Amino acid sequence: MHRYFPHTPADEAHMLKAIGADRVEDLFASIPEGCRKPEPLHLPSMSEWELTARAEELAAAMPAAGSAWVGAGNYQHYIPAVVPAIISRSEFCTAYTPYQPEISQGTLQGIFEFQTLIARLTGMEVANASMYDGATALAEAALMACRQTRRHSVAVSMGVHPHYRQVLATYCRAAGIDLAELPLKADGSTDVAPATAGELAGLIVQSPNFFGVIEPLAAQADWIHAGKGLLIAGFTEAMSLGLVASPGSQGADIVAGEGQSFGLSQMYGGPNLGIMATRKAYVRSMPGRLVGQSVDTAGKRAFVLTLSTREQHIRRERAVSNICSNAGLCAMTCAVYLATMGGTGLAHMARLNRDKAAYFKAGLLARGFRPLFDGPTFNEFALEAPEGFAAWRQRLLDERGVLFGLELKEVGYDLPGYLFCVTETRSRADLDAMLEEVAHV
């Protein structure tokens, strides 16, 4: 098999010298050796049915999604059959950027309805046409707060997802923004005492946070507003918005997070959906697309892209962001899911998540586990495990492919515990069976 590369050895040498690397392999040094494949991929020619059989063989060897008792930013939820049926229609799957409103009314209306649903769900006045994912949405929210307040420092809670904080740190470092991390209290909520509100462009918290704890957003909003800063409320588990008070109703100025829970399957970690909403007063600082409603020359309702403060539309130095697209099909999926569930259905699903997680948590506590934090939680929670749990958990994974909890040290926390998650997909029988298994630790 012949491979074609457009760059000559001289081109490669020039580029490597410019970035301070000796060879191409050095670019992959950050990837653990165990995750690399040193030899070329063996991709034999196969017929369609041979390829299908091989794919089924590989799929059968992988642990099923139902064998993971972990959330940590990506959640297993039921997806009504109507959702994939609708979004698989060609007019949704093949829709392109709606630059020409006269031929893109369907796409524009779909985005507008998505924006409306997100604004209502978050309790905000306006939402954009979606972002790439929750992590970049939260980082863009930090830049937005700095533009709005003309300050250059933000504080982020240690309760924010560690991967989100990594993305945020990258954004802030490139933009010259000072980033301070705030510790957690005994109840798992954010301790703002080490920071000075009057110096911050924004306070970034996540609710429920990485440990599943519900943050006191109203009190945090009062604290940051007293210093003329903005409260940025993030989230990874959007399902919680069906039960807890909306961030907007508690004083949040910008809401940014992940919408994967609304109709998007886990798909080994992607694709995802970034959600961002804000108050109307800050709309001109908001990145991404915004679809507005107007009327055409005949007086009929029409939709158009509006307030396009992106590099594609205005001079680069005036752009609020280089975000130039939205996760269109994922946003449409979210809109279809929310419209299918309705307010009553979403609230019911959220209560199932809360109640089942509470039942399972109580069962674990009765079997020797101890709470890491004592604050209220939604559908995931962090616990210290009894002696012998680590070895038992590893055997469970090796022998049966069941991933029971996420060790907090694996994601950078110096805490002796595990993060567990229970969603509506777990039956009472599932929960009782696992509690019976844990009794043998």
Side-chain angles (χ1 to χ4, degrees), residues 328-344:
L329 187 57
C330 295
M332 183 65 71
T333 302
C334 173
V336 173
Y337 177 89
L338 291 175
T340 299
M341 299 300 293
T344 302

Side-chain angles (χ1 to χ4, degrees), residues 20 25 46 50 56 70 96 114 132-133 144-145 153 155 162 225 259 265 270 304 316 329 345 369-370 397 423 428:
E25 288 74 13
M46 293 184 182
E50 288 174 328
E56 291 174 347
V70 174
Y96 187 59
F114 165 80
Y132 295 143
D133 58 16
M144 179 179 164
S153 61
H225 289 162
S265 59
V304 294
R316 176 173 296 184
L329 187 57
F369 287 76
R370 298 174 301 279
L397 179 61
T423 70
R428 176 70 173 267

Side-chain angles (χ1 to χ4, degrees), residues 15-320:
M15 289 187 287
L16 289 170
K17 182 179 179 181
I19 61 176
D22 295 326
R23 54 184 190 148
V24 173
E25 288 74 13
D26 294 340
L27 303 178
F28 307 98
S30 61
I31 302 175
E33 290 189 11
C35 297
R36 303 183 214 169
K37 188 174 181 63
E39 68 276 2
L41 286 172
H42 178 58
L43 298 174
S45 177
M46 293 184 182
S47 64
E48 180 179 348
W49 52 87
E50 288 174 328
L51 181 60
T52 299
R54 177 57 175 157
E56 291 174 347
E57 178 185 347
L58 292 172
M62 297 178 183
S67 62
W69 296 72
V70 174
N74 196 281
Y75 303 92
Q76 184 182 16
H77 291 291
Y78 284 125
I79 301 175
V82 67
V83 176
I86 290 177
I87 65 167
S88 62
R89 291 177 60 94
S90 60
E91 56 263 54
F92 295 137
C93 282
T94 61
Y96 187 59
T97 302
Y99 289 128
Q100 297 174 277
E102 62 273 16
I103 62 172
S104 303
Q105 284 299 294
T107 301
L108 288 165
Q109 181 178 347
I111 294 175
F112 183 83
E113 292 181 359
F114 165 80
Q115 293 173 178
T116 302
L117 289 164
I118 295 302
R120 291 178 178 176
L121 188 67
T122 58
M124 305 305 287
E125 294 173 320
V126 60
N128 68 14
S130 80
M131 310 290 280
Y132 295 143
D133 58 16
T136 54
L138 195 68
E140 288 284 349
L143 301 187
M144 179 179 164
C146 290
R147 286 192 299 271
Q148 189 65 39
T149 62
R150 300 184 184 278
R151 295 176 180 175
H152 301 283
S153 61
V154 295
V156 60
S157 168
M158 287 292 290
V160 171
H161 195 296
H163 295 168
Y164 285 38
R165 285 188 281 115
Q166 289 176 356
V167 173
L168 176 65
T170 301
Y171 269 64
C172 289
R173 183 168 58 250
I177 297 171
D178 295 326
L179 180 63
E181 291 190 333
L182 300 177
L184 301 178
K185 300 178 183 178
D187 64 357
S189 66
T190 304
D191 184 3
V192 298
T196 302
E199 300 175 353
L200 299 174
L203 168 65
I204 305 172
V205 294
Q206 176 183 321
S207 185
N209 65 23
F210 186 73
F211 304 99
V213 175
I214 307 298
E215 293 273 3
L217 294 182
Q220 293 164 348
D222 291 342
W223 179 82
I224 191 66
H225 289 162
K228 308 299 183 184
L230 305 182
L231 176 63
I232 301 170
F235 59 87
T236 59
E237 175 51 295
M239 188 64 71
S240 64
L241 296 173
L243 182 63
V244 301
S246 68
S249 69
Q250 298 182 77
D253 300 290
I254 307 172
V255 180
E258 176 57 52
Q260 176 267 328
S261 293
F262 293 154
L264 298 173
S265 59
Q266 292 182 291
M267 289 290 187
Y268 298 97
N272 285 4
L273 168 65
I275 289 174
M276 177 178 280
T278 188
R279 303 194 181 281
K280 193 173 181 179
Y282 309 139
V283 69
R284 291 188 178 275
S285 292
M286 184 169 63
R289 279 202 180 93
L290 186 65
V291 172
Q293 179 177 275
S294 183
V295 294
D296 61 15
T297 55
K300 297 180 180 179
R301 184 174 69 156
F303 302 93
V304 294
L305 285 179
T306 185
L307 297 179
S308 299
T309 52
R310 302 176 299 134
E311 288 183 355
Q312 286 180 308
H313 297 156
I314 64 176
R315 292 198 303 272
R316 176 173 296 184
E317 63 272 15
R318 296 184 59 197
V320 299

